[in-house]
Amino acid sequence: MAEADTKPVVIGLRLGEDAERSRFVVELSDPVDVHVFTLTEPNRVVIDMPEVLWRAADAVRPNGRGPVESYRYGLFREGNSRFVIDLNSPVRVGEPQLLPPSDGFGFRLVVDLYPETIADFIARAGWPEELAALETPSPAAIAPPRPGAPTKRIIVVDAGHGGIDPGTHGPSGLLEKTVVLSVAQKLRDALEATGRYTVHLTRDTDVFIPLRGRVDIARAAKADLFLSLHIDSHESHDIRGASVYTLSEDASDREAASLAEKENMSDIIAGVDLSGDNNPVATILIDLAQRDTLNRSVRFAETVLTTLREATAIRPSTPHRAAGFAVLKAPDVPAALIELGYITNHADEAEMTTEAWRSRVAVAITAAVDRHFGTGTSPAAVQASIP
Ligand code: ZN
């Protein structure tokens, strides 16, 4: 596409580290404007730039002796790429410099990090004013139903992670964000093919959406059901199968709690400023008004496990569990988070690469949505309705 061709290309990435200074050099085909800022808890440096195409060969890893613990980059939102550096000690960021092409190099963006006291780091940290406004997604993008149109149930399908946050990954390098987006798109198509649902995806491309933005989309759409799709990983490669999670203040077990903690890291991974926010997990309070929402969520979770069983492996022990997932927090929208399998298991991962498995899972979830809303369709009937 002509438009894609006009995006600046990142050709190379270098990191030089010595006692006085750590220097990132990003080599680009074209000059770009950047915003650099720092965030605390955990301490990070964020470099924002217009959308660029990353063509840099796998770049250098930090040597572990400097302040740079790790770094990552990717699309943060449409039109905006982001580079996030995790710090293991505080730094001051020098004024970024853009050097013109010379000696066979393209444009070079140079960002220097100098050792700094923690007090000064904290004093300087925070989101720049001009960016803060952009962080609130605009759920206004969701069109209201046309008057006179037959009422359809509204389903919001949430493909986890995206853009700069890849989620977990398998031994072959398959990424969670890629698999869940593909299943989400197939699920949308299968749901819409029944004629009974209006479906909104929280993301339809490889872009990052903050957790709260996903909840806001569900609420703005007045969703009847919110489904968040994820893929799990485990240090034991033997563990496989899908499991379903609903919201709870108290996790049903320690593994569910640590999974929620991992999934809730998404905003931190992407460099979202949470400092002005109440902790999204700590503020989960299930009051009486939420009981009904929660009951519906739990019923859906049980239903989807029965239909998924026909499509894919199910985790043998307690496949329905509960924990404090930030993305399930809308008080008025029944919601479930489906971990479609374990990307660390060879059998699960091999299936996840296939179109057949992705379609099968989408059809099974559609059948569960039908049962949940009382239309009682079988997966075979759902499959037949897809053009
Ligand atoms: Zn995930």
Side-chain angles (χ1 to χ4, degrees):
M1 283 191 305
E3 197 189 316
D5 294 337
T6 64
K7 285 173 194 149
V9 177
V10 173
I11 308 161
L13 185 60
R14 290 186 295 283
L15 168 62
E17 297 176 283
D18 59 43
E20 287 84 49
R21 182 191 70 189
S22 297
R23 166 170 283 185
F24 275 98
V25 181
V26 183
E27 191 185 351
L28 292 140
S29 63
D30 298 274
V32 292
D33 275 336
V34 295
H35 285 281
V36 182
F37 55 96
T38 50
L39 296 172
T40 56
E41 296 179 55
N43 296 340
R44 290 153 289 164
V45 176
V46 178
I47 305 171
D48 266 356
M49 61 188 78
E51 189 171 339
V52 294
L53 301 173
W54 295 92
R55 294 278 183 271
D58 247 2
V60 285
R61 303 321 304 171
N63 65 21
R65 294 188 291 276
V68 178
E69 186 174 300
S70 59
Y71 62 87
R72 70 196 86 88
Y73 48 78
L75 193 61
F76 181 67
R77 70 165 74 77
E78 222 73 62
N80 174 196
S81 288
R82 175 168 283 189
F83 192 90
V84 181
I85 303 164
D86 299 312
L87 302 170
N88 50 35
S89 58
V91 297
R92 176 174 66 78
V93 186
E95 192 62 38
Q97 294 179 62
L98 190 72
L99 308 176
S102 69
D103 299 332
F105 291 109
F107 287 91
R108 281 148 298 154
L109 171 69
V110 180
V111 179
D112 288 331
L113 312 178
Y114 304 95
E116 166 80 295
T117 65
I118 187 67
D120 286 341
F121 178 82
I122 290 170
R124 256 190 266 269
W127 206 279
E129 290 279 305
E130 69 271 24
L131 290 180
L134 277 172
E135 285 317 303
T136 319
S138 50
I142 292 162
R146 276 167 294 137
T151 17
K152 294 180 177 182
R153 302 280 187 177
I154 297 164
I155 315 291
V156 170
V157 177
D158 175 51
H161 312 275
I164 190 167
D165 169 22
T168 187
H169 61 86
S172 78
L174 182 66
L175 299 178
E176 176 181 4
K177 67 173 184 176
T178 311
V179 178
V180 294
L181 177 60
S182 163
V183 175
Q185 288 164 334
K186 289 181 192 305
L187 177 55
R188 171 194 56 199
D189 296 347
L191 285 166
E192 287 186 339
T194 67
R196 289 186 282 277
Y197 307 103
T198 301
V199 182
H200 300 289
L201 298 186
T202 54
R203 67 182 182 93
D204 199 7
T205 56
D206 182 20
V207 67
F208 173 79
I209 312 275
L211 294 172
R212 176 133 44 114
R214 298 168 193 259
V215 176
D216 289 347
I217 289 168
R219 299 200 71 195
K222 301 199 183 333
D224 296 297
L225 186 62
F226 175 85
L227 298 176
S228 189
L229 305 182
H230 288 260
I231 283 171
D232 215 338
S233 56
H234 203 283
E235 54 196 25
S236 160
H237 293 237
D238 296 334
I239 305 246
R240 69 171 302 196
S243 41
V244 181
Y245 291 82
T246 45
L247 181 65
S248 167
E249 278 178 273
D250 304 309
S252 52
D253 57 72
R254 222 178 47 212
E255 202 182 337
S258 77
L259 176 69
E261 204 173 291
K262 200 165 63 180
E263 299 291 11
N264 291 342
M265 282 288 286
S266 183
D267 287 350
I268 287 168
I269 286 167
V272 171
D273 184 14
L274 299 172
S275 61
D277 200 359
N278 292 321
N279 182 327
V281 184
T283 56
I284 296 167
L285 286 171
I286 299 169
D287 61 21
L288 282 175
Q290 277 179 271
R291 288 283 168 209
D292 181 53
T293 305
L294 194 59
N295 287 339
R296 289 167 197 266
S297 305
V298 167
R299 277 206 305 277
F300 177 80
E302 293 298 333
T303 305
V304 78
L305 278 171
T306 62
T307 60
L308 272 177
R309 210 171 279 282
E310 298 171 43
T312 192
I314 302 290
R315 220 192 117 123
S317 61
T318 50
H320 173 202
R321 286 180 282 174
F325 292 90
V327 78
L328 299 181
K329 219 183 62 155
D332 44 2
V333 181
L337 184 143
I338 307 176
E339 297 278 350
L340 296 166
Y342 284 85
I343 206 165
T344 38
N345 174 272
H346 289 291
D348 273 7
E349 193 202 19
E351 285 209 301
M352 284 168 192
T353 60
T354 68
E355 292 291 305
W357 178 86
R358 295 173 184 183
S359 296
R360 232 166 42 230
V361 163
V363 164
I365 297 172
T366 301
V369 173
D370 268 347
R371 276 186 209 178
H372 182 72
F373 291 115
T375 37
T377 320
S378 69
V382 172
Q383 183 67 65
S385 72
I386 299 170

